[in-house]
Amino acid sequence: MYVISESERRTTVSPVGTMSALAGPSQGSTELSTWRTEFVAGATGPVHAIDREQVWMPVSGVLRVEADGVTERVEAGQALVLPAGVMRRLGAPEGPMVALVAMAAGGKAMRPGDDSLIPLPWAE
């Protein structure tokens, strides 16, 4: 058993927000990747898919998700399950949002019309 703390070295900042890596293969977790995501108010990420199922659990604010032509509003006390391979767009249009995210280790992102797999540094 061991405890993993967030660190600047394992934090990725983008125009949409911040992803702070927690458990993952590089931190000794063999099956799961977990991280904390903070979206800035009004942020909307790019359309993309992940090749692993993800579970998003907002702890504050509201997460807006567009996937397969459906839009959902997810808030603290709820969990969102996003199936693998589904094109999605995530955002925080109502204000800042913080969520914990979990998925099977080794996940990669894909953009529409592009077959390349993009590593997720916060999930490695």
Short mmCIF file of all heavy atoms in Angstrom, two decimals, residues 29-105:
data_model
loop_
_atom_site.label_atom_id
_atom_site.label_comp_id
_atom_site.label_asym_id
_atom_site.label_seq_id
_atom_site.Cartn_x
_atom_site.Cartn_y
_atom_site.Cartn_z
N SER A 29 0.25 1.84 -10.20
CA SER A 29 -1.07 1.23 -10.38
C SER A 29 -1.05 0.41 -11.67
O SER A 29 -0.74 0.94 -12.74
CB SER A 29 -2.15 2.31 -10.46
OG SER A 29 -3.40 1.74 -10.74
N THR A 30 -1.36 -0.84 -11.59
CA THR A 30 -1.29 -1.70 -12.77
C THR A 30 -2.59 -1.77 -13.56
O THR A 30 -2.57 -2.12 -14.74
CB THR A 30 -0.88 -3.14 -12.37
OG1 THR A 30 -1.85 -3.64 -11.45
CG2 THR A 30 0.49 -3.17 -11.75
N GLU A 31 -3.71 -1.42 -12.95
CA GLU A 31 -4.99 -1.58 -13.63
C GLU A 31 -5.75 -0.29 -13.87
O GLU A 31 -6.58 -0.23 -14.77
CB GLU A 31 -5.87 -2.55 -12.83
CG GLU A 31 -5.29 -3.94 -12.75
CD GLU A 31 -6.20 -4.91 -12.01
OE1 GLU A 31 -7.40 -4.63 -11.87
OE2 GLU A 31 -5.70 -5.94 -11.57
N LEU A 32 -5.52 0.74 -13.04
CA LEU A 32 -6.31 1.96 -13.13
C LEU A 32 -5.45 3.20 -13.28
O LEU A 32 -4.33 3.25 -12.78
CB LEU A 32 -7.16 2.14 -11.87
CG LEU A 32 -8.30 1.18 -11.65
CD1 LEU A 32 -8.94 1.41 -10.29
CD2 LEU A 32 -9.34 1.32 -12.75
N SER A 33 -6.04 4.19 -13.96
CA SER A 33 -5.49 5.54 -13.98
C SER A 33 -6.55 6.44 -13.36
O SER A 33 -7.73 6.32 -13.68
CB SER A 33 -5.23 6.01 -15.41
OG SER A 33 -4.18 5.29 -16.00
N THR A 34 -6.11 7.33 -12.48
CA THR A 34 -7.03 8.30 -11.88
C THR A 34 -6.38 9.66 -11.88
O THR A 34 -5.15 9.78 -11.81
CB THR A 34 -7.41 7.92 -10.43
OG1 THR A 34 -6.26 8.00 -9.60
CG2 THR A 34 -8.03 6.54 -10.35
N TRP A 35 -7.19 10.69 -12.00
CA TRP A 35 -6.67 12.05 -11.95
C TRP A 35 -7.77 13.01 -11.53
O TRP A 35 -8.95 12.67 -11.51
CB TRP A 35 -6.06 12.47 -13.30
CG TRP A 35 -6.99 12.48 -14.47
CD1 TRP A 35 -7.68 13.55 -14.97
CD2 TRP A 35 -7.31 11.38 -15.32
NE1 TRP A 35 -8.41 13.18 -16.07
CE2 TRP A 35 -8.20 11.86 -16.31
CE3 TRP A 35 -6.94 10.03 -15.36
CZ2 TRP A 35 -8.71 11.03 -17.30
CZ3 TRP A 35 -7.45 9.22 -16.34
CH2 TRP A 35 -8.32 9.72 -17.30
N ARG A 36 -7.35 14.21 -11.16
CA ARG A 36 -8.28 15.29 -10.80
C ARG A 36 -8.23 16.31 -11.92
O ARG A 36 -7.16 16.72 -12.36
CB ARG A 36 -7.88 15.94 -9.47
CG ARG A 36 -8.88 16.97 -8.99
CD ARG A 36 -8.54 17.44 -7.57
NE ARG A 36 -7.24 18.06 -7.50
CZ ARG A 36 -6.99 19.34 -7.77
NH1 ARG A 36 -7.97 20.14 -8.15
NH2 ARG A 36 -5.78 19.82 -7.65
N THR A 37 -9.39 16.69 -12.42
CA THR A 37 -9.50 17.67 -13.49
C THR A 37 -10.19 18.91 -12.97
O THR A 37 -11.22 18.82 -12.30
CB THR A 37 -10.32 17.10 -14.67
OG1 THR A 37 -9.63 15.98 -15.21
CG2 THR A 37 -10.52 18.14 -15.75
N GLU A 38 -9.61 20.07 -13.27
CA GLU A 38 -10.23 21.36 -12.95
C GLU A 38 -10.44 22.10 -14.26
O GLU A 38 -9.48 22.34 -14.98
CB GLU A 38 -9.31 22.20 -12.06
CG GLU A 38 -9.12 21.67 -10.67
CD GLU A 38 -8.27 22.62 -9.84
OE1 GLU A 38 -8.54 23.84 -9.85
OE2 GLU A 38 -7.33 22.14 -9.20
N PHE A 39 -11.70 22.40 -14.58
CA PHE A 39 -11.99 23.21 -15.76
C PHE A 39 -12.22 24.65 -15.31
O PHE A 39 -12.89 24.88 -14.30
CB PHE A 39 -13.27 22.74 -16.46
CG PHE A 39 -13.11 21.49 -17.30
CD1 PHE A 39 -14.23 20.92 -17.88
CD2 PHE A 39 -11.89 20.89 -17.51
CE1 PHE A 39 -14.12 19.78 -18.67
CE2 PHE A 39 -11.77 19.74 -18.29
CZ PHE A 39 -12.90 19.20 -18.87
N VAL A 40 -11.70 25.60 -16.08
CA VAL A 40 -11.95 27.01 -15.78
C VAL A 40 -13.37 27.35 -16.23
O VAL A 40 -13.95 26.68 -17.10
CB VAL A 40 -10.91 27.93 -16.47
CG1 VAL A 40 -9.51 27.66 -15.93
CG2 VAL A 40 -10.93 27.77 -17.97
N ALA A 41 -13.94 28.38 -15.64
CA ALA A 41 -15.30 28.79 -15.96
C ALA A 41 -15.43 29.08 -17.44
O ALA A 41 -14.60 29.77 -18.03
CB ALA A 41 -15.67 30.03 -15.15
N GLY A 42 -16.46 28.52 -18.06
CA GLY A 42 -16.73 28.75 -19.47
C GLY A 42 -15.92 27.89 -20.43
O GLY A 42 -16.11 27.98 -21.64
N ALA A 43 -15.03 27.07 -19.91
CA ALA A 43 -14.16 26.25 -20.76
C ALA A 43 -14.95 25.15 -21.47
O ALA A 43 -15.88 24.59 -20.92
CB ALA A 43 -13.06 25.62 -19.92
N THR A 44 -14.54 24.88 -22.70
CA THR A 44 -15.06 23.74 -23.45
C THR A 44 -13.88 23.09 -24.16
O THR A 44 -13.13 23.76 -24.87
CB THR A 44 -16.11 24.17 -24.49
OG1 THR A 44 -17.18 24.83 -23.81
CG2 THR A 44 -16.66 22.98 -25.24
N GLY A 45 -13.73 21.79 -23.95
CA GLY A 45 -12.62 21.06 -24.57
C GLY A 45 -12.93 20.68 -26.00
O GLY A 45 -14.04 20.89 -26.50
N PRO A 46 -11.94 20.10 -26.68
CA PRO A 46 -12.12 19.68 -28.07
C PRO A 46 -12.97 18.41 -28.17
O PRO A 46 -13.06 17.64 -27.22
CB PRO A 46 -10.69 19.41 -28.53
CG PRO A 46 -9.98 18.99 -27.28
CD PRO A 46 -10.59 19.81 -26.17
N VAL A 47 -13.54 18.20 -29.33
CA VAL A 47 -14.23 16.94 -29.60
C VAL A 47 -13.16 15.85 -29.70
O VAL A 47 -12.15 16.02 -30.38
CB VAL A 47 -15.05 17.02 -30.91
CG1 VAL A 47 -15.65 15.67 -31.25
CG2 VAL A 47 -16.13 18.09 -30.79
N HIS A 48 -13.38 14.75 -28.99
CA HIS A 48 -12.41 13.65 -28.99
C HIS A 48 -13.09 12.40 -28.47
O HIS A 48 -14.23 12.44 -27.99
CB HIS A 48 -11.21 13.99 -28.10
CG HIS A 48 -11.53 14.10 -26.65
ND1 HIS A 48 -12.26 15.16 -26.11
CD2 HIS A 48 -11.27 13.28 -25.61
CE1 HIS A 48 -12.41 14.98 -24.82
NE2 HIS A 48 -11.83 13.84 -24.48
N ALA A 49 -12.40 11.28 -28.56
CA ALA A 49 -12.85 10.02 -27.98
C ALA A 49 -11.68 9.45 -27.19
O ALA A 49 -10.52 9.79 -27.43
CB ALA A 49 -13.28 9.03 -29.06
N ILE A 50 -11.98 8.56 -26.25
CA ILE A 50 -10.96 7.85 -25.48
C ILE A 50 -11.19 6.36 -25.73
O ILE A 50 -12.34 5.91 -25.77
CB ILE A 50 -11.05 8.18 -23.97
CG1 ILE A 50 -10.96 9.70 -23.73
CG2 ILE A 50 -10.00 7.42 -23.18
CD1 ILE A 50 -9.63 10.32 -24.06
N ASP A 51 -10.11 5.60 -25.88
CA ASP A 51 -10.27 4.18 -26.19
C ASP A 51 -10.52 3.30 -24.96
O ASP A 51 -10.46 2.08 -25.05
CB ASP A 51 -9.06 3.66 -26.99
CG ASP A 51 -7.77 3.68 -26.21
OD1 ASP A 51 -7.72 4.25 -25.09
OD2 ASP A 51 -6.76 3.14 -26.72
N ARG A 52 -10.84 3.90 -23.85
CA ARG A 52 -11.20 3.18 -22.62
C ARG A 52 -12.47 3.82 -22.04
O ARG A 52 -12.70 5.01 -22.21
CB ARG A 52 -10.11 3.29 -21.54
CG ARG A 52 -8.74 2.82 -21.93
CD ARG A 52 -8.67 1.30 -21.83
NE ARG A 52 -7.30 0.82 -21.89
CZ ARG A 52 -6.64 0.55 -23.01
NH1 ARG A 52 -7.21 0.74 -24.17
NH2 ARG A 52 -5.40 0.10 -22.96
N GLU A 53 -13.26 3.04 -21.34
CA GLU A 53 -14.39 3.60 -20.60
C GLU A 53 -13.84 4.53 -19.52
O GLU A 53 -12.80 4.24 -18.91
CB GLU A 53 -15.16 2.46 -19.94
CG GLU A 53 -16.31 2.94 -19.08
CD GLU A 53 -17.02 1.78 -18.41
OE1 GLU A 53 -16.51 1.31 -17.37
OE2 GLU A 53 -18.05 1.33 -18.94
N GLN A 54 -14.51 5.64 -19.31
CA GLN A 54 -14.13 6.58 -18.24
C GLN A 54 -15.32 6.81 -17.32
O GLN A 54 -16.47 6.80 -17.76
CB GLN A 54 -13.72 7.94 -18.81
CG GLN A 54 -12.40 7.96 -19.50
CD GLN A 54 -12.02 9.37 -19.94
OE1 GLN A 54 -12.88 10.19 -20.26
NE2 GLN A 54 -10.73 9.64 -19.96
N VAL A 55 -15.00 7.08 -16.06
CA VAL A 55 -16.00 7.50 -15.09
C VAL A 55 -15.58 8.87 -14.56
O VAL A 55 -14.47 9.02 -14.06
CB VAL A 55 -16.14 6.49 -13.92
CG1 VAL A 55 -17.14 7.00 -12.90
CG2 VAL A 55 -16.54 5.12 -14.44
N TRP A 56 -16.45 9.85 -14.73
CA TRP A 56 -16.23 11.22 -14.26
C TRP A 56 -17.12 11.46 -13.05
O TRP A 56 -18.33 11.17 -13.10
CB TRP A 56 -16.59 12.22 -15.35
CG TRP A 56 -15.57 12.33 -16.44
CD1 TRP A 56 -15.28 11.39 -17.39
CD2 TRP A 56 -14.70 13.43 -16.67
NE1 TRP A 56 -14.29 11.86 -18.20
CE2 TRP A 56 -13.91 13.10 -17.79
CE3 TRP A 56 -14.52 14.66 -16.05
CZ2 TRP A 56 -12.95 13.96 -18.29
CZ3 TRP A 56 -13.57 15.51 -16.56
CH2 TRP A 56 -12.79 15.16 -17.66
N MET A 57 -16.55 11.99 -11.98
CA MET A 57 -17.29 12.26 -10.74
C MET A 57 -17.03 13.69 -10.31
O MET A 57 -16.02 13.98 -9.66
CB MET A 57 -16.85 11.28 -9.65
CG MET A 57 -17.16 9.83 -10.01
SD MET A 57 -16.09 8.64 -9.17
CE MET A 57 -14.56 8.84 -10.05
N PRO A 58 -17.89 14.64 -10.70
CA PRO A 58 -17.70 16.02 -10.27
C PRO A 58 -17.76 16.13 -8.74
O PRO A 58 -18.60 15.48 -8.10
CB PRO A 58 -18.87 16.77 -10.91
CG PRO A 58 -19.29 15.91 -12.06
CD PRO A 58 -19.04 14.50 -11.60
N VAL A 59 -16.85 16.92 -8.19
CA VAL A 59 -16.88 17.17 -6.74
C VAL A 59 -17.30 18.62 -6.47
O VAL A 59 -17.68 18.94 -5.35
CB VAL A 59 -15.53 16.84 -6.05
CG1 VAL A 59 -15.27 15.35 -6.10
CG2 VAL A 59 -14.37 17.59 -6.66
N SER A 60 -17.24 19.48 -7.49
CA SER A 60 -17.78 20.83 -7.37
C SER A 60 -18.06 21.36 -8.77
O SER A 60 -17.44 20.94 -9.75
CB SER A 60 -16.82 21.76 -6.64
OG SER A 60 -15.65 21.98 -7.39
N GLY A 61 -19.03 22.24 -8.86
CA GLY A 61 -19.40 22.79 -10.15
C GLY A 61 -20.23 21.82 -10.98
O GLY A 61 -20.70 20.80 -10.48
N VAL A 62 -20.40 22.19 -12.25
CA VAL A 62 -21.22 21.40 -13.17
C VAL A 62 -20.40 21.05 -14.41
O VAL A 62 -19.78 21.93 -15.01
CB VAL A 62 -22.49 22.18 -13.58
CG1 VAL A 62 -23.28 21.43 -14.65
CG2 VAL A 62 -23.36 22.47 -12.37
N LEU A 63 -20.42 19.79 -14.77
CA LEU A 63 -19.76 19.30 -15.99
C LEU A 63 -20.83 19.15 -17.06
O LEU A 63 -21.88 18.55 -16.82
CB LEU A 63 -19.11 17.94 -15.72
CG LEU A 63 -18.51 17.21 -16.91
CD1 LEU A 63 -17.31 17.97 -17.47
CD2 LEU A 63 -18.09 15.80 -16.51
N ARG A 64 -20.58 19.73 -18.24
CA ARG A 64 -21.50 19.54 -19.36
C ARG A 64 -20.82 18.61 -20.36
O ARG A 64 -19.66 18.81 -20.72
CB ARG A 64 -21.82 20.87 -20.03
CG ARG A 64 -22.89 20.69 -21.09
CD ARG A 64 -23.35 22.03 -21.63
NE ARG A 64 -23.43 21.86 -23.07
CZ ARG A 64 -22.89 22.66 -23.96
NH1 ARG A 64 -22.24 23.72 -23.59
NH2 ARG A 64 -23.01 22.43 -25.23
N VAL A 65 -21.56 17.60 -20.81
CA VAL A 65 -21.01 16.60 -21.70
C VAL A 65 -21.94 16.43 -22.90
O VAL A 65 -23.14 16.25 -22.74
CB VAL A 65 -20.88 15.23 -20.99
CG1 VAL A 65 -20.25 14.21 -21.91
CG2 VAL A 65 -20.08 15.37 -19.72
N GLU A 66 -21.34 16.52 -24.09
CA GLU A 66 -22.05 16.21 -25.32
C GLU A 66 -21.44 14.93 -25.85
O GLU A 66 -20.22 14.86 -26.07
CB GLU A 66 -21.86 17.33 -26.35
CG GLU A 66 -22.38 18.67 -25.91
CD GLU A 66 -21.92 19.80 -26.83
OE1 GLU A 66 -21.52 19.52 -27.99
OE2 GLU A 66 -21.96 20.95 -26.38
N ALA A 67 -22.24 13.89 -26.03
CA ALA A 67 -21.75 12.61 -26.54
C ALA A 67 -22.86 11.94 -27.33
O ALA A 67 -24.00 11.85 -26.87
CB ALA A 67 -21.30 11.71 -25.40
N ASP A 68 -22.54 11.48 -28.53
CA ASP A 68 -23.51 10.80 -29.37
C ASP A 68 -24.80 11.60 -29.56
O ASP A 68 -25.90 11.05 -29.51
CB ASP A 68 -23.83 9.41 -28.81
CG ASP A 68 -22.84 8.35 -29.26
OD1 ASP A 68 -22.05 8.63 -30.18
OD2 ASP A 68 -22.87 7.25 -28.69
N GLY A 69 -24.67 12.91 -29.72
CA GLY A 69 -25.83 13.75 -29.97
C GLY A 69 -26.68 14.04 -28.75
O GLY A 69 -27.75 14.63 -28.87
N VAL A 70 -26.24 13.64 -27.57
CA VAL A 70 -26.98 13.87 -26.33
C VAL A 70 -26.13 14.78 -25.43
O VAL A 70 -24.92 14.62 -25.34
CB VAL A 70 -27.26 12.54 -25.59
CG1 VAL A 70 -27.93 12.77 -24.27
CG2 VAL A 70 -28.08 11.62 -26.47
N THR A 71 -26.79 15.74 -24.78
CA THR A 71 -26.09 16.62 -23.84
C THR A 71 -26.59 16.32 -22.44
O THR A 71 -27.80 16.21 -22.21
CB THR A 71 -26.35 18.10 -24.18
OG1 THR A 71 -25.87 18.36 -25.50
CG2 THR A 71 -25.64 19.02 -23.20
N GLU A 72 -25.65 16.15 -21.52
CA GLU A 72 -25.98 15.88 -20.11
C GLU A 72 -25.30 16.92 -19.23
O GLU A 72 -24.22 17.42 -19.55
CB GLU A 72 -25.50 14.49 -19.69
CG GLU A 72 -26.25 13.34 -20.30
CD GLU A 72 -27.64 13.14 -19.74
OE1 GLU A 72 -27.99 13.75 -18.71
OE2 GLU A 72 -28.40 12.37 -20.36
N ARG A 73 -25.94 17.19 -18.12
CA ARG A 73 -25.42 18.08 -17.09
C ARG A 73 -25.15 17.19 -15.88
O ARG A 73 -26.05 16.51 -15.40
CB ARG A 73 -26.49 19.13 -16.77
CG ARG A 73 -26.10 20.18 -15.82
CD ARG A 73 -27.30 21.15 -15.67
NE ARG A 73 -26.96 22.26 -14.83
CZ ARG A 73 -27.03 22.25 -13.50
NH1 ARG A 73 -27.45 21.17 -12.86
NH2 ARG A 73 -26.70 23.32 -12.80
N VAL A 74 -23.89 17.18 -15.41
CA VAL A 74 -23.50 16.29 -14.32
C VAL A 74 -22.92 17.15 -13.20
O VAL A 74 -22.05 17.99 -13.44
CB VAL A 74 -22.44 15.26 -14.80
CG1 VAL A 74 -22.18 14.22 -13.73
CG2 VAL A 74 -22.87 14.61 -16.10
N GLU A 75 -23.39 16.93 -11.97
CA GLU A 75 -22.91 17.75 -10.86
C GLU A 75 -22.45 16.88 -9.70
O GLU A 75 -22.57 15.65 -9.74
CB GLU A 75 -23.99 18.73 -10.43
CG GLU A 75 -25.32 18.10 -10.13
CD GLU A 75 -26.41 19.15 -9.97
OE1 GLU A 75 -26.88 19.70 -11.00
OE2 GLU A 75 -26.79 19.41 -8.82
N ALA A 76 -21.93 17.53 -8.67
CA ALA A 76 -21.43 16.82 -7.49
C ALA A 76 -22.49 15.85 -6.98
O ALA A 76 -23.68 16.16 -6.97
CB ALA A 76 -21.05 17.81 -6.40
N GLY A 77 -22.05 14.66 -6.60
CA GLY A 77 -22.96 13.63 -6.12
C GLY A 77 -23.44 12.71 -7.23
O GLY A 77 -24.18 11.77 -6.98
N GLN A 78 -23.02 12.98 -8.47
CA GLN A 78 -23.37 12.14 -9.60
C GLN A 78 -22.10 11.57 -10.23
O GLN A 78 -21.00 12.10 -10.02
CB GLN A 78 -24.14 12.93 -10.66
CG GLN A 78 -25.48 13.46 -10.18
CD GLN A 78 -26.20 14.24 -11.26
OE1 GLN A 78 -25.63 15.12 -11.89
NE2 GLN A 78 -27.46 13.89 -11.47
N ALA A 79 -22.26 10.51 -11.00
CA ALA A 79 -21.15 9.93 -11.76
C ALA A 79 -21.60 9.79 -13.20
O ALA A 79 -22.75 9.44 -13.47
CB ALA A 79 -20.74 8.58 -11.19
N LEU A 80 -20.70 10.07 -14.11
CA LEU A 80 -20.95 9.94 -15.54
C LEU A 80 -20.07 8.82 -16.08
O LEU A 80 -18.86 8.84 -15.87
CB LEU A 80 -20.60 11.25 -16.25
CG LEU A 80 -20.53 11.18 -17.77
CD1 LEU A 80 -21.94 11.06 -18.36
CD2 LEU A 80 -19.80 12.38 -18.32
N VAL A 81 -20.66 7.85 -16.76
CA VAL A 81 -19.90 6.79 -17.41
C VAL A 81 -19.89 7.09 -18.90
O VAL A 81 -20.95 7.17 -19.54
CB VAL A 81 -20.53 5.40 -17.15
CG1 VAL A 81 -19.75 4.32 -17.87
CG2 VAL A 81 -20.60 5.11 -15.65
N LEU A 82 -18.69 7.27 -19.44
CA LEU A 82 -18.51 7.49 -20.88
C LEU A 82 -17.92 6.24 -21.50
O LEU A 82 -16.79 5.85 -21.16
CB LEU A 82 -17.58 8.68 -21.12
CG LEU A 82 -18.21 10.06 -20.91
CD1 LEU A 82 -17.13 11.13 -20.88
CD2 LEU A 82 -19.20 10.34 -22.02
N PRO A 83 -18.65 5.58 -22.39
CA PRO A 83 -18.13 4.36 -23.01
C PRO A 83 -16.89 4.64 -23.86
O PRO A 83 -16.70 5.75 -24.37
CB PRO A 83 -19.28 3.88 -23.90
CG PRO A 83 -20.49 4.58 -23.37
CD PRO A 83 -20.01 5.88 -22.82
N ALA A 84 -16.08 3.63 -24.04
CA ALA A 84 -14.90 3.73 -24.90
C ALA A 84 -15.32 4.04 -26.33
O ALA A 84 -16.33 3.55 -26.81
CB ALA A 84 -14.12 2.42 -24.86
N GLY A 85 -14.52 4.90 -26.99
CA GLY A 85 -14.72 5.17 -28.41
C GLY A 85 -15.79 6.17 -28.76
O GLY A 85 -15.97 6.49 -29.93
N VAL A 86 -16.53 6.69 -27.79
CA VAL A 86 -17.61 7.64 -28.07
C VAL A 86 -17.03 9.04 -28.21
O VAL A 86 -16.31 9.51 -27.32
CB VAL A 86 -18.67 7.61 -26.94
CG1 VAL A 86 -19.67 8.74 -27.09
CG2 VAL A 86 -19.38 6.28 -26.92
N MET A 87 -17.32 9.72 -29.33
CA MET A 87 -16.90 11.11 -29.48
C MET A 87 -17.65 11.95 -28.47
O MET A 87 -18.86 11.81 -28.30
CB MET A 87 -17.18 11.62 -30.90
CG MET A 87 -16.24 11.07 -31.93
SD MET A 87 -14.55 11.68 -31.66
CE MET A 87 -13.64 10.52 -32.67
N ARG A 88 -16.88 12.81 -27.78
CA ARG A 88 -17.49 13.63 -26.74
C ARG A 88 -16.84 14.99 -26.70
O ARG A 88 -15.74 15.18 -27.21
CB ARG A 88 -17.35 12.93 -25.38
CG ARG A 88 -16.04 13.06 -24.64
CD ARG A 88 -14.89 12.13 -24.92
NE ARG A 88 -15.10 10.72 -24.81
CZ ARG A 88 -14.82 10.01 -23.74
NH1 ARG A 88 -14.31 10.57 -22.68
NH2 ARG A 88 -15.01 8.72 -23.74
N ARG A 89 -17.54 15.91 -26.05
CA ARG A 89 -17.01 17.25 -25.79
C ARG A 89 -17.44 17.61 -24.38
O ARG A 89 -18.61 17.53 -24.04
CB ARG A 89 -17.57 18.24 -26.80
CG ARG A 89 -16.94 19.59 -26.66
CD ARG A 89 -17.35 20.49 -27.80
NE ARG A 89 -16.37 21.56 -27.85
CZ ARG A 89 -16.10 22.25 -28.91
NH1 ARG A 89 -16.72 22.00 -30.04
NH2 ARG A 89 -15.21 23.21 -28.87
N LEU A 90 -16.46 17.99 -23.56
CA LEU A 90 -16.71 18.28 -22.15
C LEU A 90 -16.46 19.76 -21.88
O LEU A 90 -15.57 20.35 -22.48
CB LEU A 90 -15.77 17.44 -21.28
CG LEU A 90 -15.89 15.94 -21.51
CD1 LEU A 90 -14.52 15.30 -21.55
CD2 LEU A 90 -16.72 15.32 -20.44
N GLY A 91 -17.23 20.31 -20.96
CA GLY A 91 -17.04 21.71 -20.63
C GLY A 91 -17.63 22.08 -19.29
O GLY A 91 -18.25 21.26 -18.61
N ALA A 92 -17.39 23.33 -18.92
CA ALA A 92 -17.88 23.87 -17.65
C ALA A 92 -18.49 25.24 -17.92
O ALA A 92 -17.97 26.27 -17.51
CB ALA A 92 -16.73 23.98 -16.65
N PRO A 93 -19.62 25.28 -18.64
CA PRO A 93 -20.20 26.57 -19.04
C PRO A 93 -20.80 27.37 -17.89
O PRO A 93 -20.97 28.58 -18.02
CB PRO A 93 -21.28 26.17 -20.05
CG PRO A 93 -21.68 24.80 -19.64
CD PRO A 93 -20.41 24.16 -19.13
N GLU A 94 -21.09 26.73 -16.77
CA GLU A 94 -21.76 27.43 -15.66
C GLU A 94 -20.79 27.97 -14.62
O GLU A 94 -21.22 28.58 -13.65
CB GLU A 94 -22.77 26.48 -15.00
CG GLU A 94 -23.86 26.06 -15.94
CD GLU A 94 -24.87 25.14 -15.28
OE1 GLU A 94 -25.12 25.27 -14.07
OE2 GLU A 94 -25.41 24.27 -15.99
N GLY A 95 -19.51 27.71 -14.77
CA GLY A 95 -18.52 28.17 -13.78
C GLY A 95 -17.45 27.12 -13.62
O GLY A 95 -17.46 26.09 -14.31
N PRO A 96 -16.49 27.34 -12.73
CA PRO A 96 -15.42 26.36 -12.54
C PRO A 96 -15.98 25.01 -12.14
O PRO A 96 -17.04 24.92 -11.52
CB PRO A 96 -14.57 26.93 -11.41
CG PRO A 96 -15.05 28.31 -11.18
CD PRO A 96 -16.40 28.45 -11.81
N MET A 97 -15.27 23.94 -12.51
CA MET A 97 -15.70 22.58 -12.21
C MET A 97 -14.48 21.75 -11.84
O MET A 97 -13.43 21.89 -12.45
CB MET A 97 -16.38 21.99 -13.45
CG MET A 97 -17.07 20.65 -13.28
SD MET A 97 -16.03 19.16 -13.30
CE MET A 97 -15.01 19.36 -14.72
N VAL A 98 -14.64 20.92 -10.82
CA VAL A 98 -13.58 19.99 -10.41
C VAL A 98 -14.20 18.59 -10.41
O VAL A 98 -15.28 18.39 -9.87
CB VAL A 98 -13.03 20.32 -9.01
CG1 VAL A 98 -11.99 19.29 -8.58
CG2 VAL A 98 -12.43 21.73 -8.98
N ALA A 99 -13.49 17.64 -11.02
CA ALA A 99 -13.97 16.25 -11.06
C ALA A 99 -12.81 15.30 -10.84
O ALA A 99 -11.65 15.61 -11.15
CB ALA A 99 -14.62 15.95 -12.41
N LEU A 100 -13.14 14.13 -10.30
CA LEU A 100 -12.21 13.01 -10.24
C LEU A 100 -12.57 12.10 -11.40
O LEU A 100 -13.75 11.89 -11.70
CB LEU A 100 -12.34 12.28 -8.91
CG LEU A 100 -12.04 13.13 -7.68
CD1 LEU A 100 -12.32 12.35 -6.41
CD2 LEU A 100 -10.60 13.62 -7.70
N VAL A 101 -11.54 11.55 -12.06
CA VAL A 101 -11.76 10.72 -13.24
C VAL A 101 -11.00 9.41 -13.06
O VAL A 101 -9.88 9.40 -12.54
CB VAL A 101 -11.27 11.42 -14.53
CG1 VAL A 101 -11.66 10.62 -15.77
CG2 VAL A 101 -11.81 12.84 -14.61
N ALA A 102 -11.62 8.31 -13.51
CA ALA A 102 -10.98 7.00 -13.45
C ALA A 102 -11.21 6.26 -14.76
O ALA A 102 -12.27 6.40 -15.38
CB ALA A 102 -11.55 6.18 -12.29
N MET A 103 -10.20 5.48 -15.16
CA MET A 103 -10.34 4.61 -16.33
C MET A 103 -9.30 3.51 -16.23
O MET A 103 -8.35 3.59 -15.45
CB MET A 103 -10.17 5.38 -17.64
CG MET A 103 -8.77 5.79 -17.97
SD MET A 103 -8.72 6.57 -19.60
CE MET A 103 -6.95 6.81 -19.74
N ALA A 104 -9.47 2.48 -17.04
CA ALA A 104 -8.47 1.41 -17.10
C ALA A 104 -7.16 2.01 -17.60
O ALA A 104 -7.15 2.92 -18.44
CB ALA A 104 -8.95 0.31 -18.04
N ALA A 105 -6.06 1.52 -17.07
CA ALA A 105 -4.74 2.02 -17.45
C ALA A 105 -4.50 1.87 -18.94
O ALA A 105 -5.01 0.96 -19.58
CB ALA A 105 -3.67 1.27 -16.66
#
